[in-house]
């Protein structure tokens, strides 16, 4: 959930590190720091010890940059932007962390589970600690193994053998400034290959300005990075591993707001294009189905599955709920979504006739990755629906789909959520046509999918009206979101968005559950956002609105037809698609509503408090 960046080459490292940290700030932003080796690249231990230059501070990267002196030179360096797990945000707890001598500097993403035990042992040996973090343990451990004549990579490997937990690290040694050692176990590390210079980072966002050639490390793998190249090897026995670079297809412009006030609203407006990319080449008009070669599964195999289990966290989980409904409706296969964070801890029964689908925008969500590994260990078949090419979940799965939604910088997911819902519609169509979905219904769904981008544009054209409604409701202490069946996952995601970016308390309930408890909360002070599609449950949904209005509860309806003003004070109308696909469109105005509520409340829209984009720790 934090950000790592490293550089070695002929240029001064500090400006490159600071820019990389600014691009990674969405992964963590309570503190930041950099360390550079002052001695020119190529000098080895024989040249004597050169001090590391370290600057770190609580706050945003811009505050750190303001503290960096003009002559903060060095050709080798590492940097970090933090999302606190051990210790409050402070200058002392900021990364990089060093050993007592200041020779070794470490930046770390993840959690060292046996940090307290290791700290106590090191303190008994006389080591002095200056922070509350688990990471500082690593600096002292590595320094203890980095005796005269020992290569930095060997010292890092020896230290990691003592670690229990997850990590993505970059290590710098003042006595060996010709290299940086990086390692991965449960937290992403990617190498960037330049022209006589090398980079490393926790996310390709930090690299795209300088290179498109990247190498993803696997768990249990380390790399020694030098200006002229890299070598990778296993943590267990230092066995060399063969890695082939891949080409990143993200454009540098994707990491710019492009004139928008925030990344969040930019990404909301990118959804017509991102949905088009998700659909591109995947609609098979001839057979009224979806062409999904990446599933690595023929029709016979697809027919053999008797149920589908979808796993994700946060918005990915809610998109999985929407996907489960699509699969049940179109393929008539029992389907269910479950939080990946809970799945592996209940010792799940892995069934041979169940297809498992893991959902993650980053492809690095730790809980989801661990669930995938548990399924694979027990012999299950698992597909991935991810946005990031080459990510850990994509590599672990037996097949799957890339969303091609493009980079998502704002912490709150919008275009990735929508593209995930579209991906599930394609999977449901594919499975449906393998089973009993008729060609006529297949054509109907294909036509509905092709209509989505223009219908999303139509909804985005209502932004001014939605902004006015958001400003009207933003000052309430809480809001209720309700929906039935297809509308319920939309309500859950809508409540999630509002909570994330505006800090307004929001809860989602099935509309049918109002009478079983939540109706006690209804009154003039608690508005309700009601998801009311024009489908077979329309009358029942309208009855629920009547129950709310009878208790003086304000209602904002999101649906297809204008309601009686006695049932809803306000309404946002969206274009009608096929009933199965309507939830994809009904979620779009809720994104704009949450965004403009946050703006009205003057929140930090792209970097909401206490949250980070990629959750790579438990």
């Amino acid at each position: 959930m934090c950000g790592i960046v490293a550089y070695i080459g002929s240029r001064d490292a500090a400006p490159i590190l600071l820019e990389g940290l600014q691009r990674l700030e969405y992964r963590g932003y309570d503190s930041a720091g950099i360390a550079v080796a002052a001695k020119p690249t190529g000098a080895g231990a024989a040249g004597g010890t050169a001090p590391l230059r370290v600057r770190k501070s609580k706050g945003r990267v811009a505050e750190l940059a303001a503290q960096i002196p003009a002559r903060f030179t060095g050709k080798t360096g590492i940097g970090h932007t933090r999302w606190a797990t051990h210790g409050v945000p402070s200058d002392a707890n900021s990364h990089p962390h060093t050993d007592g001598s200041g020779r070794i500097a470490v930046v770390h993403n993840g959690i060292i589970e046996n940090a307290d035990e290791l700290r106590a042992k090191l303190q008994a040996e006389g080591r002095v600690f200056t922070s509350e973090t688990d990471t500082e343990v690593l600096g002292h451990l590595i320094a203890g193994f980095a005796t005269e004549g020992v290569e930095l990579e060997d010292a890092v490997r020896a230290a990691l053998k003592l670690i229990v937990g997850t990590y993505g690290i970059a290590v710098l040694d003042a006595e060996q400034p010709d290299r940086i050692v990086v390692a991965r176990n449960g937290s992403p590390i990617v190498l960037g290959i330049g022209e006589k210079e090398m980079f490393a980072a926790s996310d390709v966002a930090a690299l795209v300005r300088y290179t498109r050639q990247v190498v993803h490390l696997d768990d249990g793998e380390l790399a020694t990075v030098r200006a002229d190249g890299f070598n990778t090897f296993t943590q267990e026995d230092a066995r060399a591993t063969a890695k082939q670079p891949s080409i990143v297809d993200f454009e540098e412009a994707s990491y710019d707001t492009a004139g928008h006030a925030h990344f969040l609203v930019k990404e909301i407006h990118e959804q017509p294009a991102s949905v088009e990319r998700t659909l591109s080449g995947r609609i098979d008009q001839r057979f009224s189905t979806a062409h999904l070669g990446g599933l690595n599964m023929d029709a016979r195999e697809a027919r053999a599955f008797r149920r589908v289990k979808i796993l994700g966290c946060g918005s990915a989980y809610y998109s999985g709920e929407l996907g489960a409904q699509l699969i049940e409706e179109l393929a008539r296969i029992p389907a269910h979504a479950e939080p990946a964070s809970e799945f592996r801890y209940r010792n799940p029964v892995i069934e041979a006739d169940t297809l498992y689908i893991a959902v993650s925008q980053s492809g690095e969500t730790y809980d989801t990755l661990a669930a995938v590994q548990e399924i694979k260990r027990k012999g299950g078949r698992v597909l991935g629906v991810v946005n990031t090419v080459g990510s850990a979940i994509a590599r672990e799965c037996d097949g799957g789909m890339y969303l091609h939604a493009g980079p998502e910088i704002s912490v709150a997911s919008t275009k990735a959520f929508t593209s995930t819902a579209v991906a599930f519609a394609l999977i449901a169509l594919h499975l449906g046509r393998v089973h009993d979905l008729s060609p006529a219904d297949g054509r109907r769904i294909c036509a509905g999918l092709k209509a989505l981008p223009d219908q999303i544009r139509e909804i985005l054209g209502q932004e001014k009206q939605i902004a006015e409604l958001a400003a009207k409701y933003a000052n309430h202490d809480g809001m209720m979101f309700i929906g039935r069946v297809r509308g319920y996952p939309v309500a859950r995601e809508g409540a999630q968005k509002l909570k994330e970016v505006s800090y307004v308390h929001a809860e989602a309930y099935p509309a049918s559950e109002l009478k079983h408890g939540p109706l006690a909360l209804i009154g003039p002070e608690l508005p309700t956002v009601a998801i009311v599609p024009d489908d077979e449950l329309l009358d029942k949904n309208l009855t629920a609105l009547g129950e709310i209005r009878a208790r003086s509860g304000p209602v904002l309806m999101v649906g297809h037809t204008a309601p009686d003003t006695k049932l809803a004070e306000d309404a946002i109308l969206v274009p009608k698609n096929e009933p199965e696909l309507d939830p994809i469109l009904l979620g779009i105005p809720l994104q704009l509503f949450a965004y403009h509520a946050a703006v009205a409340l003057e929140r930090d829209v792209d970097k909401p408090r206490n949250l980070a984009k990629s959750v790579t720790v438990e």
Side-chain angles (χ1 to χ4, degrees):
M1 296 172 72
C2 308
I4 286 174
V5 62
Y7 172 79
I8 184 167
S10 60
R11 294 187 270 182
D12 275 333
I16 296 170
L17 298 176
L18 289 169
E19 184 191 48
L21 291 180
Q22 286 173 333
R23 290 179 180 269
L24 294 180
E25 201 167 22
Y26 67 100
R27 295 179 65 98
Y29 35 84
D30 58 45
S31 57
I34 62 173
V36 300
K39 190 180 294 183
T41 299
T49 302
L52 295 179
R53 301 186 179 199
V54 180
R55 288 290 189 279
K56 55 184 186 173
S57 69
K58 176 183 175 182
R60 299 292 172 85
V61 174
E63 297 172 56
L64 170 68
Q67 300 178 28
I68 303 297
R71 295 185 60 79
F72 198 81
T73 57
K75 310 300 183 184
T76 308
I78 58 177
H80 189 268
T81 180
R82 182 173 183 252
W83 186 88
T85 55
H86 286 69
V88 299
S90 68
D91 290 358
N93 288 334
S94 305
H95 297 218
H97 288 286
T98 60
D99 69 305
S101 70
R103 172 188 164 183
I104 302 291
V106 181
V107 292
H108 165 230
N109 295 346
I111 293 178
I112 299 173
E113 296 174 10
N114 61 337
D116 290 344
E117 174 190 337
L118 292 170
R119 179 187 287 257
K121 181 179 179 181
L122 289 164
Q123 287 175 327
E125 296 173 357
R127 303 294 181 90
V128 177
F129 285 76
T130 60
S131 79
E132 304 170 85
T133 69
D134 54 343
T135 303
E136 192 177 0
V137 166
L138 266 173
H140 286 283
L141 286 176
I142 294 168
F145 288 108
T147 54
E148 185 175 354
V150 175
E151 301 288 339
L152 177 60
E153 42 269 71
D154 293 329
V156 172
R157 280 187 57 244
L160 292 179
K161 287 180 181 293
L162 304 177
I163 294 298
V164 176
T166 60
Y167 53 80
I169 61 171
V171 185
L172 184 61
D173 182 353
E175 294 191 6
Q176 300 179 53
D178 63 331
R179 73 196 71 181
I180 297 168
V181 175
V182 297
R184 170 190 173 131
N185 184 51
S187 193
I189 292 290
V190 58
L191 310 182
I193 303 170
E195 184 66 33
K196 296 183 179 179
E197 59 184 359
M198 286 288 298
F199 308 82
S202 52
D203 190 310
V204 295
L207 310 177
V208 291
R209 180 176 179 182
Y210 303 102
T211 182
R212 298 290 179 81
Q213 290 192 78
V214 300
V215 170
H216 295 267
L217 292 193
D218 293 314
D219 282 348
E221 196 169 31
L222 293 85
T224 301
V225 181
R226 303 175 188 269
D228 59 356
F230 69 95
N231 61 288
T232 57
F233 48 94
T234 60
Q235 192 275 328
E236 182 64 29
D237 56 8
R239 176 176 47 83
T241 56
K243 309 293 287 191
Q244 292 299 317
S246 59
I247 303 300
V248 177
D249 61 359
F250 290 167
E251 298 290 336
E252 185 184 350
S254 300
Y255 300 93
D256 187 272
T257 57
H260 293 275
H262 302 95
F263 279 108
L264 181 56
V265 72
K266 172 180 181 258
E267 288 158 9
I268 291 171
H269 279 272
E270 288 176 339
Q271 289 178 111
S274 62
V275 167
E276 285 172 343
R277 288 195 297 272
T278 302
L279 292 171
S280 180
R282 287 170 166 161
I283 294 179
D284 184 342
Q285 292 287 165
R286 180 182 177 190
F287 295 107
S288 304
T289 188
H291 177 69
L292 303 176
L295 300 187
N296 298 329
M297 184 169 58
D298 63 26
R300 188 182 299 273
E301 290 174 296
R303 283 190 63 86
F305 291 111
R306 287 291 166 262
R307 59 185 55 84
V308 176
K309 170 79 75 174
I310 302 170
L311 303 168
C313 297
S315 291
Y317 165 47
Y318 300 140
S319 71
E321 289 191 313
L322 196 156
Q325 290 190 5
L326 279 162
I327 290 168
E328 284 204 346
E329 284 195 89
L330 297 180
R332 305 305 300 152
I333 304 172
H336 174 69
E338 181 177 344
S341 52
E342 295 290 317
F343 177 75
R344 68 190 176 105
Y345 286 113
R346 61 176 183 79
N347 192 22
V349 176
I350 304 302
E351 300 169 303
D353 61 354
T354 296
L355 176 64
Y356 298 87
I357 303 178
V359 188
S360 169
Q361 186 280 138
S362 67
E364 301 286 352
T365 308
Y366 182 78
D367 290 310
T368 309
L369 177 60
V372 170
Q373 292 168 338
E374 178 72 0
I375 295 166
K376 297 268 297 202
R377 188 181 68 81
K378 293 182 175 180
R381 179 75 170 265
V382 58
L383 304 178
V385 176
V386 301
N387 193 37
T388 305
V389 175
S391 56
I393 292 173
R395 298 197 305 273
E396 285 274 359
C397 288
D398 299 298
M401 286 182 64
Y402 285 120
L403 301 177
H404 302 303
E408 196 173 62
I409 307 303
S410 183
V411 167
S413 180
T414 51
K415 64 180 182 178
F417 174 86
T418 302
S419 283
T420 301
V422 172
F424 275 121
L426 289 165
I427 292 171
L429 174 62
H430 173 74
L431 293 175
R433 291 290 290 123
V434 167
H435 285 79
D436 299 319
L437 189 71
S438 70
D441 278 331
R443 285 192 295 273
R444 178 175 61 83
I445 298 301
C446 287
L449 288 168
K450 292 175 70 176
L452 286 174
D454 284 339
Q455 290 181 313
I456 293 172
R457 292 184 180 97
E458 186 177 337
I459 296 169
L460 296 176
Q462 302 179 55
E463 183 172 9
K464 182 179 178 182
Q465 174 211 349
I466 295 170
E468 291 171 353
L469 290 170
K472 173 182 175 179
Y473 287 99
N475 288 313
H476 288 82
D477 292 334
M479 296 189 73
M480 184 88 76
F481 285 69
I482 63 170
R484 276 180 181 262
V485 189
R486 298 185 187 105
Y488 181 49
V490 179
R492 297 193 75 182
E493 172 62 11
Q496 172 96 338
K497 281 292 153 286
L498 189 65
K499 283 184 284 195
E500 281 180 311
V501 299
S502 74
Y503 316 151
V504 173
H505 180 72
E507 292 295 332
Y509 283 92
S512 55
E513 285 289 299
L514 280 177
K515 294 186 292 293
H516 299 282
L519 203 59
L521 298 172
I522 296 298
E525 70 286 349
L526 183 70
T528 297
V529 177
I531 313 304
V532 185
D534 186 4
D535 60 13
E536 68 277 8
L537 296 174
L538 176 61
D539 289 340
K540 291 186 180 296
N541 277 318
L542 294 178
T543 297
L545 300 193
E547 293 172 347
I548 295 168
R549 295 297 291 139
R551 291 154 180 85
S552 302
V555 173
L556 167 60
M557 194 199 86
V558 180
H560 298 119
T561 56
D564 187 317
T565 54
K566 294 179 181 179
L567 297 179
E569 291 183 29
D570 298 293
I572 301 171
L573 303 183
V574 303
K576 187 80 177 71
N577 199 297
E578 298 301 325
E580 300 91 341
L581 303 178
D582 281 333
I584 298 171
L585 296 171
L586 289 164
I588 305 296
L590 300 183
Q591 298 173 353
L592 286 170
F593 183 84
Y595 168 73
H596 285 288
V599 170
L601 294 169
E602 299 183 345
R603 307 305 192 203
D604 191 344
V605 175
D606 287 329
K607 301 180 181 70
R609 67 188 183 196
N610 305 330
L611 300 178
K613 183 63 176 175
S614 300
V615 183
T616 56
V617 296
E618 285 194 272

